[in-house]
Amino acid sequence: MALEIVLLVKRFRPELSKEPFYQEYQIPYTEDMVVLDALNYINDEVDSTLAHRWSCRMGICGSCGAMINGTPRLACATFLRQLTRGIVEVEPLDHFPVIKDLVVDMEDFMQKLAEVMPWLIREKIKPLDRGEYFQTPGQIRLYGQQSMCINCLICYSACPVYGLDSEFLGPAAIALAYRYNMDSRDQGREKRLSRLVGKSGVWDCTYVGECSVVCPKDVDPAGAIQRLKFPGSLHVLKTLLPRL
Amino acid sequence: MTEKKTATYVQKMPASWWLRNPRYLAYMLRELSSIFILVYILTFLVQILLLRDRNAYDAFLAIVESPFFVAFTAVAFAFAVYHGVTWWGLTSKVLQISFRGKTVPPALVLLGAIMMWAVVSFLVYLLLFRGV
Ligand code: SF4
Ligand code: FES
């Protein structure tokens, strides 16, 4: 007899009801299935009204995040066989407004991301014919870990500070600010710091640390946030002290 | 970009969020520990202030030596140790100490910090109780 597995999916269909509801799906199971395979199977074979996001199927695009048995994870990187409970519960990422089923509204993060200016800021841009900006492997190592972020927002779902107050800039946006502030080619450190030490910036973080536990790319946003608190303080000091 | 959104469903965080996994609980206990530490420090400060008045000091000592307060102090002490250890656990991950071009592993930093902490505590103990 073929093996089967039960998925309990939290659904929200605004055209039907204002309230979310849970729906159970019983589908064939194989050892090599990830949660995303199960969702795709449901969508293809059982119930085409189920909405979920995905693209790369390999932990790169960052679009398949969901609460899986209560923990935010990438659906494409979570094997069903890793999950211990009999029924696999799949819910939309915590803390975000739900548009439909597992699809959440990411607009808030997109705005915050732009606020930290996640690009190289140069006072004067070197003309292309003058060649690239060189970096040593040591200089790359300073920001390499944070540059792995795939904007999956799993860290935001794990962050109770963001859950309580969505004004908080949040783990990934601050980790990306750190990534650019640590880049030897960048000259926008103070600009970013003035945003980071401002309202809902690094000081709102109370170091729960769960963002770094759940991050599928080992970005360690929690560590990056704490490491920004010292340069942040210096930045405040600099702006307070009258210029000599 | 700014097309009108259809109705969304807002997810609220339940008040019991910190019971969801052991790490959240450990965090909440660390936050709670500060209340115990605060109360302990306040009593300690009051005790120092009362040093000027012998009678008041003796009366205060009677309270501090009561079984209830001793029990409270024991709990506060446990919380202080818990706070200290977890604080260093987190801090050791944040500090990136390099040695000969390599980052020292956080576990080693933690060990060093705890050892330093023990030494300082011992010195304070000597200073207070042995009058060295
Ligand atoms: S920091 Fe990690 S969890 Fe957060 S968005 Fe980036 S990759 Fe995802
Ligand atoms: S589908 Fe791209 S990260 Fe999961």
Side-chain angles (χ1 to χ4, degrees), chain A residues 36 53-65 74-77 150 152 217:
Chain A
L36 181 63
R53 284 197 183 111
W54 62 283
S55 174
C56 70
R57 290 173 286 116
M58 51 192 284
I60 296 297
C61 72
S63 54
C64 67
L74 292 178
C76 70
I150 56 172
C152 64
K217 291 288 158 185

Side-chain angles (χ1 to χ4, degrees), chain A residues 195-206:
Chain A
R195 174 61 191 93
L196 294 174
V197 299
K199 209 170 144 273
S200 311
V202 288
W203 300 109
D204 277 26
C205 170
T206 53

